[in-house]
C-alpha cells in the first residue's frame, strides 16, 4: 500500500510553533509544569537496537530486536537505568513493551515505523474503566509502544518520528471490517514518572498518546500529525491520570487535539479513578473536532485542570467540554484561559448530550455534575457560532463563568445558545445568554477571577 507522507506545510507550522515558544522564552521566563517529573539521573548504560539484530532499512522487521534490547535493559539493572538508542534509519516493527528506568532515544533521522501486517498485532484485555474495547466489544489491539506498571520512563530524542502507518487501520474502520479496537501509538498504563519530549508522532491508527491510570506525567515539545480525515486520531488523551503536564506541543490530527478522559459509563464509575491536577500550556493545534476537550468519557471524574495560552485554527471547536446522561462522574474546577481562535466553527461548546455508551447496561439515572468552569481571555475571529452551553434538565451545569470572551465572525456569526445552566458572564461578545446572568452567577464569576 502506498504510504502517505506528512504535508510539508504541517511540519513547517510545527517548527514555527516551536520557534515562537522559544522566542517567548527569550523575552521572559515562561511558566512551566515540567518539574512535575524531575529529570532522571544519568543512565548507567546505553544499548542500541542495531546491536540486537536490528536493521534500519525500512524492510527488516525489528520486533524481536526491540524486545531483546528492552529485555537486556531489564537484566542489566544499571545504576540509574539504561538508554535504548535508535540510530538514524527506518526501523520497521510490530508492537513492543518498555520497562522501568529506561530512556527510549530516537536520533535525528530515526523513524520507528509500525508494520501494516495487522493480523500479527497482539490483543490485550480491555481497560477495566471501559469494560470493552472503545470501538468494539471484547479485546483490543496493543499499542505500538506499550508499558504497564512502570516507573521512570523517558521517550525522547532529536525529533525522531514514531510512525503508525495508520492508513490500513483507517480503511478497515471506514469499511466496517475492524475485528477489534484499533491500537494507539503509545499507551502507558498504571505507570509513574513519565517524560515524553522532542518526538514526532505521526499517523496513529487510533489515539496517539494515551497515559491511563498514570501519575506524574510530562509531555513537552511534541509534534502530533495525522490527516484531518483520519478517524479518532486524538493527539494526547490523559485518562484517569493525575499530576499531568502538557506543554509546548503542535498537534494537527483527525480528532480532538487534547482530550481529558476518565472511563466510560458504569465501568468508569465502578473503577472510580478521576483525572486530576492537569496543566496544559502553549499548545498550537488544528482539528476538525476540538482543540481542547474534556470527555466525553468522564465517568471517573475530571477536576483541577488549568489550560492556558492555546492557539487553535481551522477547527470544529475551540473548547469542547462534553458528557452525557449515564456517564455519572463530575467535571469541576476547570479553567481555560488566554485562547486565540481563527476559523473555528464553535468557539465554545459545553454539552450534556455527547457520546455513545458501551452497552445497554448503563445507568440512565447516573447524571454527571458539571460545576465551576471558568473560560476567560478568549479572542476569536472567523467564528461561525459563538457557542452552546447545554446542561441536563435534572443536573443543570452550575457556576459557569465567561469573562473577556470576544468572538467575531461578521454578520453570519450565530449567537450563544444556553439551556439548563447557571453562571455569570462579564465582557462577552456577542452578548451572552440570559441564563448566565442569574443571581448567584455574577458573584461566582467575579470571585473565580
Amino acid at each position: 500500500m502506498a504510504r502517505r507522507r506528512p504535508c510539508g506545510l504541517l511540519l513547517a507550522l510545527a517548527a514555527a510553533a516551536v520557534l515562537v515558544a522559544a522566542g517567548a522564552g527569550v523575552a521572559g521566563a515562561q511558566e512551566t509544569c515540567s518539574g512535575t517529573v524531575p529529570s532522571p539521573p544519568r543512565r548507567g548504560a546505553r544499548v542500541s537496537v542495531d546491536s540486537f539484530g536490528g536493521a534500519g532499512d525500512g524492510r527488516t522487521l525489528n520486533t524481536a530486536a526491540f524486545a531483546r534490547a528492552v529485555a537486556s535493559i531489564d537484566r542489566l539493572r544499571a545504576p540509574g537505568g539504561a538508554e535504548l538508542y535508535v540510530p538514524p534509519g527506518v526501523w520497521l516493527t510490530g508492537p513492543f513493551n518498555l520497562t522501568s528506568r529506561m530512556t527510549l532515544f530516537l536520533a535525528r533521522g530515526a523513524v520507528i515505523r509500525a508494520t501494516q501486517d495487522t493480523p500479527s498485532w497482539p490483543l490485550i484485555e480491555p481497560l477495566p474503566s471501559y469494560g470493552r474495547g472503545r470501538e468494539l466489544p471484547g479485546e483490543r489491539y496493543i499499542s505500538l509502544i506499550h508499558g504497564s506498571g512502570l516507573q521512570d520512563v523517558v521517550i525522547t530524542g532529536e525529533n525522531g518520528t514514531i510512525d503508525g502507518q495508520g492508513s490500513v487501520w483507517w480503511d478497515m474502520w471506514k469499511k466496517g471490517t475492524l475485528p477489534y479496537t484499533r491500537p494507539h501509538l503509545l499507551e502507558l498504563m498504571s505507570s509513574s514518572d513519565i517524560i515524553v519530549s522532542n518526538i514526532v508522532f505521526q499517523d496513529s491508527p487510533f489515539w496517539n498518546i494515551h497515559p491511563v491510570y498514570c501519575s506524574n506525567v510530562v509531555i513537552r515539545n511534541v509534534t502530533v500529525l495525522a490527516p484531518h480525515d483520519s478517524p479518532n486520531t486524538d493527539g494526547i488523551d490523559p485518562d484517569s491520570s493525575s499530576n499531568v503536564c502538557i506543554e509546548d506541543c503542535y498537534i494537527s490530527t483527525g480528532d480532538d487535539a487534547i482530550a481529558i478522559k476518565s472511563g466510560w459509563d458504569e465501568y468508569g464509575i465502578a473503577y472510580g479513578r478521576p483525572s486530576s491536577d492537569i496543566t496544559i500550556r502553549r499548545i498550537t493545534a488544528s482539528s476538525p473536532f476540538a482543540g481542547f476537550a474534556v470527555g466525553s468519557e468522564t465517568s471517573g471524574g475530571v477536576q483541577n485542570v488549568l489550560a492556558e495560552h492555546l492557539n487553535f485554527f481551522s477547527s470544529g471547536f475551540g473548547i469542547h467540554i462534553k458528557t452525557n446522561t449515564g456517564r455519572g462522574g463530575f467535571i469541576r474546577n476547570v479553567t481555560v484561559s488566554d485562547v486565540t481562535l481563527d476559523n473555528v466553527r464553535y468557539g465554545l461548546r459545553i454539552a450534556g448530550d455527547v457520546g455513545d455508551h458501551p452497552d445497554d447496561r448503563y445507568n440512565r439515572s447516573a447524571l454527571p455534575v458539571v460545576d465551576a468552569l471558568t473560560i476567560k481571555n478568549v479572542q476569536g475571529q472567523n467564528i461561525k457560532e459563538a457557542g452552546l452551553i447545554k446542561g441536563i434538565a435534572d443536573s443543570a451545569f452550575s457556576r459557569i463563568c465567561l469573562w473577556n470572551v470576544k468572538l467575531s465572525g461578521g454578520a453570519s456569526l450565530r449567537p450563544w445558545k444556553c439551556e439548563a445552566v447557571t453562571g455569570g458572564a462579564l465582557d462577552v461578545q456577542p452578548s451572552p445568554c440570559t441564563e448566565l446572568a442569574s443571581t448567584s452567577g455574577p458573584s461566582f464569576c467575579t470571585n473565580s477571577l
Side-chain angles (χ1 to χ4, degrees):
M1 178 177 296
R3 197 176 155 271
R4 187 201 58 80
R5 295 189 178 274
C7 175
L9 175 60
L10 290 178
L11 291 173
L13 286 170
V18 172
L19 289 172
V20 167
V26 171
Q30 295 185 97
E31 284 190 275
T32 180
C33 52
S34 59
T36 300
V37 181
S39 297
R42 182 178 177 86
R43 301 302 191 193
R46 187 192 205 201
V47 300
S48 178
V49 66
D50 60 2
S51 298
F52 295 86
D57 57 12
R59 300 183 303 275
T60 302
L61 190 65
N62 293 288
T63 313
F66 277 108
R68 287 192 292 265
V70 173
S72 76
I73 289 174
D74 211 26
R75 289 193 304 270
L76 279 171
R77 301 198 179 279
E83 176 186 297
L84 172 54
Y85 177 73
V86 183
V90 178
W91 303 86
L92 186 68
T93 182
F96 62 92
N97 286 281
L98 304 180
T99 190
S100 292
R101 300 193 313 137
M102 78 167 283
T103 296
L104 177 64
F105 188 96
L106 280 71
R108 188 174 307 278
V111 179
I112 295 177
R113 179 171 293 166
T115 176
Q116 290 189 315
D117 180 18
T118 59
S120 70
W121 283 63
L123 297 171
I124 57 174
E125 292 295 314
L127 293 167
S129 58
Y130 284 74
R132 46 160 277 185
R134 183 59 186 85
E135 298 182 284
L136 293 164
E139 296 175 301
R140 60 198 183 104
Y141 290 107
I142 195 170
S143 59
L144 177 65
I145 300 175
H146 191 80
S148 182
L150 305 183
Q151 185 175 11
D152 180 13
V153 173
V154 179
I155 301 170
T156 189
E158 300 168 323
N159 291 314
T161 298
I162 300 173
D163 177 7
Q165 291 209 103
S167 59
V168 65
W169 300 94
W170 309 332
D171 289 345
M172 285 195 292
W173 180 86
K174 292 171 183 176
K175 294 173 182 175
T177 57
L178 272 174
Y180 301 98
T181 294
R182 287 171 284 162
H184 311 298
L185 266 190
L186 170 65
E187 181 178 74
L188 297 174
M189 300 171 52
S190 305
S191 299
S192 63
D193 301 323
I194 308 300
I195 299 175
V196 182
S197 67
N198 301 303
I199 296 288
V200 177
F201 291 82
Q202 175 181 307
D203 291 349
S204 178
F206 197 43
W207 305 344
N208 277 269
I209 303 172
H210 187 222
V212 58
Y213 319 141
C214 289
S215 60
N216 304 335
V217 178
V218 172
I219 301 170
R220 317 180 60 225
N221 299 317
V222 161
T223 298
V224 186
L225 302 175
H228 271 199
D229 63 352
S230 58
N232 312 111
T233 51
D234 295 30
I236 304 171
D237 288 0
D239 196 338
S240 292
S241 293
S242 58
N243 297 324
V244 177
C245 168
I246 304 170
E247 290 183 330
D248 302 306
C249 297
Y250 177 89
I251 304 170
S252 178
T253 61
D255 210 316
D256 297 337
I258 295 175
I260 301 172
K261 303 176 182 290
S262 66
W264 200 13
D265 286 10
E266 68 268 31
Y267 305 104
I269 293 170
Y271 195 80
R273 176 161 178 171
S275 279
S276 64
D277 303 298
I278 296 174
T279 301
I280 298 164
R281 285 196 182 101
R282 296 183 298 275
I283 306 299
T284 297
S286 176
S287 160
F289 290 88
F292 170 74
V294 176
S296 73
E297 306 91 331
T298 55
S299 300
V302 174
Q303 63 185 357
N304 305 335
V305 175
L306 171 64
E308 61 181 359
H309 305 298
L310 311 175
N311 176 21
F312 303 140
F313 65 96
S314 301
S315 297
F317 306 89
I319 302 158
H320 195 186
I321 297 172
K322 46 188 173 175
T323 184
N324 206 344
T325 297
R327 289 286 191 264
F330 52 83
I331 303 171
R332 62 190 181 210
N333 298 333
V334 175
T335 297
V336 184
S337 176
D338 299 285
V339 183
T340 301
L341 307 175
D342 187 9
N343 189 28
V344 171
R345 181 182 174 190
Y346 279 96
L348 167 68
R349 192 170 192 257
I350 306 173
D353 59 355
V354 179
D356 55 352
H357 303 283
D359 49 48
D360 59 6
R361 295 189 294 274
Y362 71 94
N363 180 1
R364 289 160 177 78
S365 298
L367 301 180
V369 173
V370 177
D371 178 62
L373 311 183
T374 298
I375 314 295
K376 63 180 182 177
N377 299 333
V378 179
Q379 300 290 323
Q381 62 181 3
N382 301 313
I383 309 299
K384 306 298 185 298
E385 300 186 40
L388 169 73
I389 306 176
K390 183 179 181 181
I392 297 171
D394 294 326
S395 185
F397 296 171
S398 57
R399 298 196 296 171
I400 309 300
C401 171
L402 307 183
W403 179 66
N404 190 29
V405 176
K406 308 288 180 61
L407 304 175
S408 63
S412 61
L413 176 63
R414 297 179 184 176
W416 294 91
K417 298 178 182 177
C418 297
E419 181 180 329
V421 57
T422 63
L426 300 170
D427 200 14
V428 174
Q429 297 176 0
S431 298
C433 309
T434 56
E435 290 86 344
L436 295 183
S438 63
T439 303
S440 62
S443 62
F444 160 71
C445 204
T446 303
N447 291 339
S448 73
L449 301 174

